[in-house]
C-alpha cells in the first residue's frame, strides 16, 4: 500500500469534481472521475453567461476539461453500491466494474427544484411559464417556441426555496443575482419589454452583485415588486396573469405577461443521500451532505477518507465551489500525509 | 405659547409606548406567527382582500405596531376560507391564527 499512489474516487464531474481532479493530479494522486451524465461540466455546462463577470460558461467548463484531460473519467456511469473496506472504499459501478479507492470525494452537486411541483405557478400547464434553466438554454440556442418577442416579462424569485410547503426552508442563495442577471439579459434582447422581478428579499451579497441591481434599476428600468407571487393564471390570449401583493404599498397587484420565468431553487441530490447512507456519512436536516462543521471543515465529512466539494453540501456560487474543490484536494493530501 | 399652527397627532409608531399584549399572547398560542416574513402571499390570494383590505400580513404587523382599530376592522372581514393557509411559505396556519386572535381581547385575555 505504502508505495502505491492513492486512488481517489470523485463522484460527479461538475466544476467541483473537475477542479478537485486537477488539483489532486497536480499533488501526485490518482483521481478517478465518475459521472452519471454523458458529458462533464454539470450544471454550469447548461448556463450561458456567468455573473459577476458575464464571461461565457462554456469557457470555464472547457478550461477545466482541458486541465483534466489526462484524468481517468467515466461518463454515463453510475454507482450501484458503495462499501466500506478496512483501508478505503469499494464502488460497484453500473458497468459492472469495481473501483477500489483510498478516499471518496463527493462532488455530486445539487438538483434544480422541479417547478411543476408548485402547481399554482403553472409550469408545465401554461405555455408562457418557463424556468431559469429554460431561459439559460434559450440564451445558448435562441430557440424556444415559448419566447416570441415578449412585451412584458416577469421573474418569480424563491421558487421552491424558503418554502416549507415545498419541503425546502433554505435560501438558494444564487437565484436573486441570477434573476437580476437574466432580467438584464432579457431587457437587452427585448428593449421595449417591461420587466418585473417579484421578490421577498433581495439577497445580493457577493462581489459586484449590488452593481447588477443598480444597473437593472438605473440603466434598464426593471421594476422590482416586493411581494411573493401567490398564483398565476392564463387569459384567453394565452398570456399569463400574475397576482401578488405589492407589500410596500400594501395593495394587491395584477399584471399580464408574455413570459414568466420561475427562479427554481437549489435542492439536494437524492443520489448523494443514498451513497452517504451506505457508508455511514451524515446527512443534514436540509437534505444536503453534512459537513463536520460549517466554519473550518466544510469539505470534511463525519467519516475518515470521505470529503465534500461544491453544491453537495448546499447552495454555492462558482467561486465558492472552486475554492472548496481546492480546499478538499488539500484536505485529502493532509489526510494521506497524516496516515503516513 | 401660540405658534400660529396646531400639531396634529403624529402617525409615527412609537415603539416605546406600543402595547403588544395581544400579540404576545397570540404568539404564545400560535408560535409560528413569529416566523412571518411579510411576503404578502396571504393578502394576494385572499378573496376578501380586494374589497375589504383584509391581510394576515397587515394584521400581524398591526398588532406589533399598536394599530388595534385597523386590526379589528380587518378581522371582521375575514370569511375564514383558509386560502391564505394554503400559500404561506412559512407554513403558518393562518386560519387558525385568525380564529385564535378573534378569541383574544386587546389586553390579550382569552375571552371567547
Ligand atoms: C440558474 C442558475 C444559474 C447559475 N449561474 C451562476 C453564475 O452565473 N455564476 C456563479 O458563480 N454560479 C452560478 N450558479 C451556481 C452554479 O451552478 C453552481 O455553483 C455549480 O453548478 C456547482 O457545481 P458542482 O460541481 O458542485 O455541482 P453540479 O453543477 O450540480 O455538478 C454535479 C455533477 O455531479 C454529477 N452527478 C450527480 N449525481 C451523480 C451520481 N449519482 N453519480 C455520478 N455523477 C453524479 C452531475 O451529473 C453533475 O455533472 C447558477 C445556478 C443556477 C441554478
Ligand atoms: S437567493 Fe433570492 S431568490 Fe434565491 S432563494 Fe434566496 S431570496 Fe429567494
Ligand atoms: S381565511 Fe380570511 S384572510 Fe385567509 S384568505 Fe380567507 S378570507 Fe382571506
Ligand atoms: S403568507 Fe405567511 S409569511 Fe407571508 S405574509 Fe402571510 S402570514 Fe406572513
Amino acid at each position: 500500500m505504502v508505495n502505491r499512489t492513492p486512488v481517489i474516487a470523485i463522484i460527479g464531474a461538475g466544476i467541483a469534481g473537475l477542479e478537485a481532479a486537477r488539483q489532486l493530479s497536480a499533488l501526485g494522486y490518482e483521481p478517478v472521475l465518475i459521472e452519471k451524465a454523458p458529458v462533464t461540466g454539470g450544471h454550469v455546462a447548461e448556463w450561458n453567461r456567468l455573473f459577476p463577470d458575464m464571461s461565457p460558461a462554456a469557457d470555464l467548463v472547457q478550461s477545466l476539461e482541458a486541465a483534466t484531460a489526462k484524468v481517468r473519467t467515466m461518463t454515463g456511469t453510475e454507482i450501484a453500491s458503495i462499501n466500506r473496506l478496512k483501508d478505503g472504499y469499494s464502488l460497484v459501478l453500473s458497468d459492472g466494474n469495481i473501483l477500489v479507492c483510498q478516499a471518496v470525494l463527493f462532488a455530486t452537486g445539487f438538483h434544480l427544484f422541479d417547478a411543476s411541483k408548485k402547481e399554482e405557478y403553472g409550469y408545465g400547464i401554461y405555455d408562457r411559464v418557463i424556468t431559469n434553466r429554460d431561459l439559460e438554454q434559450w440564451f445558448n440556442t435562441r430557440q424556444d417556441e415559448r419566447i416570441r418577442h415578449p412585451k412584458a416579462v416577469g421573474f418569480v424569485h424563491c421558487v421552491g426555496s424558503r418554502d416549507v410547503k415545498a419541503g425546502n426552508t433554505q435560501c438558494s442563495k444564487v437565484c436573486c443575482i441570477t434573476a437580476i442577471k437574466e432580467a438584464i439579459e432579457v431587457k437587452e434582447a427585448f428593449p421595449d419589454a417591461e420587466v418585473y422581478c417579484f421578490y421577498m428579499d433581495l439577497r445580493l451579497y457577493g462581489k459586484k452583485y449590488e452593481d447588477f441591481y443598480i444597473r437593472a434599476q438605473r440603466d434598464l428600468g426593471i421594476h422590482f415588486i416586493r411581494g411573493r407571487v401567490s398564483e398565476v393564471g392564463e387569459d384567453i390570449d394565452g398570456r399569463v396573469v400574475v397576482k401578488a401583493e405589492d407589500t410596500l404599498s400594501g395593495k394587491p397587484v395584477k399584471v399580464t405577461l408574455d413570459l414568466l420565468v420561475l427562479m427554481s431553487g437549489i435542492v439536494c441530490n437524492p443520489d448523494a443521500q443514498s451513497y452517504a447512507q451506505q457508508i455511514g456519512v451524515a446527512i443534514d436536516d436540509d437534505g444536503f451532505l453534512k459537513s463536520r462543521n460549517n466554519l473550518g471543515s466544510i469539505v470534511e465529512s463525519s467519516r475518515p477518507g470521505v470529503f465534500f466539494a461544491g453544491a453537495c453540501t448546499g447552495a454555492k456560487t462558482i467561486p465558492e465551489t472552486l475554492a472548496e474543490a481546492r480546499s478538499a484536494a488539500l484536505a485529502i493530501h493532509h489526510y494521506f500525509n497524516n496516515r503516513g | 405659547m401660540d405658534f400660529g399652527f396646531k400639531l396634529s397627532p403624529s402617525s409615527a409608531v412609537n415603539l416605546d409606548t406600543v402595547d403588544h399584549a395581544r400579540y404576545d399572547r397570540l404568539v404564545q398560542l400560535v408560535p409560528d406567527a413569529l416566523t412571518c416574513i411579510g411576503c404578502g402571499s396571504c393578502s394576494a390570494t385572499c378573496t376578501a382582500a380586494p374589497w375589504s383590505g383584509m391581510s394576515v400580513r397587515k394584521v400581524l404587523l398591526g398588532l406589533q405596531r399598536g394599530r388595534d382599530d385597523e386590526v379589528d376592522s380587518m378581522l371582521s372581514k375575514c370569511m375564514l376560507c383558509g386560502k391564505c393557509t394554503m400559500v404561506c411559505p412559512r407554513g403558518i396556519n393562518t386560519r387558525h391564527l385568525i380564529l385564535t386572535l378573534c378569541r383574544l381581547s386587546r389586553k390579550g385575555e382569552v375571552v371567547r
Side-chain angles (χ1 to χ4, degrees):
Chain A
M1 212 59 197
V2 182
N3 295 322
R4 268 198 65 209
T5 310
V7 173
I8 297 127
I10 303 181
I11 314 177
I15 57 161
L18 291 171
E19 176 64 21
R22 154 157 83 171
Q23 300 295 339
L24 285 167
S25 311
L27 289 165
Y29 298 95
E30 189 188 332
V32 180
L33 282 161
I34 303 155
E35 171 57 57
K36 188 177 176 174
V39 293
T40 57
H43 281 99
V44 178
E46 296 183 66
W47 314 147
N48 177 242
R49 285 192 293 163
L50 304 173
F51 64 79
D53 290 349
M54 297 309 273
S55 48
D59 287 2
L60 173 65
V61 171
Q62 277 158 19
S63 77
L64 286 171
E65 285 171 345
T68 51
K70 294 210 177 87
V71 173
R72 198 171 140 208
T73 305
M74 293 179 268
T75 51
T77 307
E78 279 186 67
I79 295 164
S81 69
I82 171 165
N83 301 291
R84 261 153 49 184
L85 305 174
K86 194 172 132 284
D87 208 17
Y89 297 86
S90 92
L91 281 61
V92 181
L93 305 177
S94 54
D95 58 12
N97 288 322
I98 292 178
L99 177 72
V100 173
C101 59
Q102 283 68 55
V104 175
L105 175 64
F106 280 83
T108 40
F110 64 97
H111 275 194
L112 202 64
F113 177 77
D114 174 5
S116 64
K117 282 191 189 157
K118 284 214 70 76
E119 271 178 49
E120 62 269 40
Y121 291 162
Y123 185 66
I125 304 172
Y126 307 131
D127 252 8
R128 310 283 185 91
V129 181
I130 68 169
T131 63
N132 40 5
R133 169 189 262 151
D134 299 336
L135 187 58
E136 289 294 325
Q137 228 151 57
W138 182 77
F139 290 140
N140 275 324
T141 62
R142 298 280 156 167
Q143 269 166 5
D144 190 324
E145 277 300 299
R146 298 168 293 186
I147 306 175
R148 278 167 291 169
H149 214 104
K151 290 275 191 296
V153 184
F155 287 82
V156 184
H157 290 227
C158 305
V159 175
S161 311
R162 306 180 66 199
D163 184 350
V164 173
K165 302 250 160 63
N168 301 302
T169 48
Q170 76 277 5
C171 164
S172 294
K173 193 164 128 171
V174 297
C175 22
C176 271
I177 177 63
T178 303
I180 295 183
K181 182 206 76 145
E182 291 183 348
I184 291 173
E185 290 174 293
V186 163
K187 185 77 183 175
E188 282 170 348
F190 306 108
D192 56 347
E194 295 295 337
V195 180
Y196 303 87
C197 285
F198 293 89
Y199 69 97
M200 301 203 277
D201 297 291
L202 284 179
R203 297 186 166 173
L204 300 162
Y205 56 91
K207 173 136 175 136
K208 294 195 185 289
Y209 293 7
E210 197 73 12
D211 297 349
F212 278 71
Y213 187 17
I214 294 171
R215 187 159 128 66
Q217 293 177 295
R218 188 191 52 200
D219 302 340
L220 295 154
I222 290 165
H223 310 286
F224 289 89
I225 298 177
R226 195 206 171 270
R228 180 170 174 269
V229 170
S230 70
E231 55 196 79
V232 176
E234 196 178 39
D235 73 6
I236 193 142
D237 306 315
R239 300 179 81 207
V240 284
V241 183
V242 168
K243 270 174 67 179
E245 186 195 10
D246 172 17
T247 59
L248 297 181
S249 70
K251 294 278 184 291
V253 288
K254 195 188 89 171
V255 61
T256 309
L257 305 169
D258 302 304
L259 187 66
L260 185 67
V261 188
L262 306 180
M263 302 312 293
S264 279
I266 286 180
V267 299
C268 63
N269 175 352
D271 291 354
Q273 293 179 336
S274 149
Y275 303 155
Q277 270 158 1
Q278 293 176 44
I279 52 173
V281 164
I283 298 165
D284 222 336
D285 48 21
D286 56 9
F288 288 90
L289 298 174
K290 186 172 181 170
S291 299
R292 218 148 62 75
N293 66 56
N294 295 308
L295 292 161
S297 311
I298 296 174
V299 301
E300 288 164 41
S301 79
S302 51
R303 279 204 56 78
V306 178
F307 299 85
F308 306 141
C312 60
T313 54
K316 302 279 155 68
T317 62
I318 290 168
E320 287 166 340
T321 301
L322 295 174
E324 276 187 18
R326 290 166 202 144
S327 161
L330 210 52
I332 292 169
H333 180 59
H334 291 313
Y335 170 72
F336 286 119
N337 274 351
N338 293 341
R339 282 211 324 187
Chain B
M1 206 184 287
D2 184 6
F3 290 105
F5 59 86
K6 279 205 190 105
L7 289 171
S8 49
S10 168
S11 64
V13 175
N14 184 348
L15 292 178
D16 298 334
T17 55
V18 163
D19 175 9
H20 36 70
R22 186 154 54 149
Y23 179 73
D24 294 344
R25 187 82 185 105
L26 175 70
V27 299
Q28 276 173 4
L29 298 168
V30 189
D32 279 354
L34 289 163
T35 65
C36 172
I37 37 176
C39 70
S41 303
C42 48
S43 337
T45 207
C46 173
T47 17
W51 51 270
S52 73
M54 171 57 191
S55 160
V56 181
R57 178 183 74 79
K58 285 188 202 165
V59 163
L60 283 171
L61 209 55
L63 286 171
Q64 297 170 77
R65 301 287 186 269
R67 300 268 185 241
D68 282 294
D69 291 341
E70 289 164 36
V71 167
D72 289 335
S73 145
M74 281 190 274
L75 285 177
S76 69
K77 314 277 172 42
C78 171
M79 307 180 294
L80 293 174
C81 70
K83 247 187 118 184
C84 48
T85 304
M86 315 274 289
V87 294
C88 176
R90 289 292 208 204
I92 305 170
N93 188 336
T94 47
R95 186 179 179 276
H96 172 67
L97 180 153
I98 296 163
L99 270 173
T100 308
L101 197 52
C102 290
R103 297 200 176 99
L104 297 181
S105 74
R106 286 199 180 185
K107 291 210 171 70
E109 299 137 339
V110 181
V111 289
R112 257 171 283 196

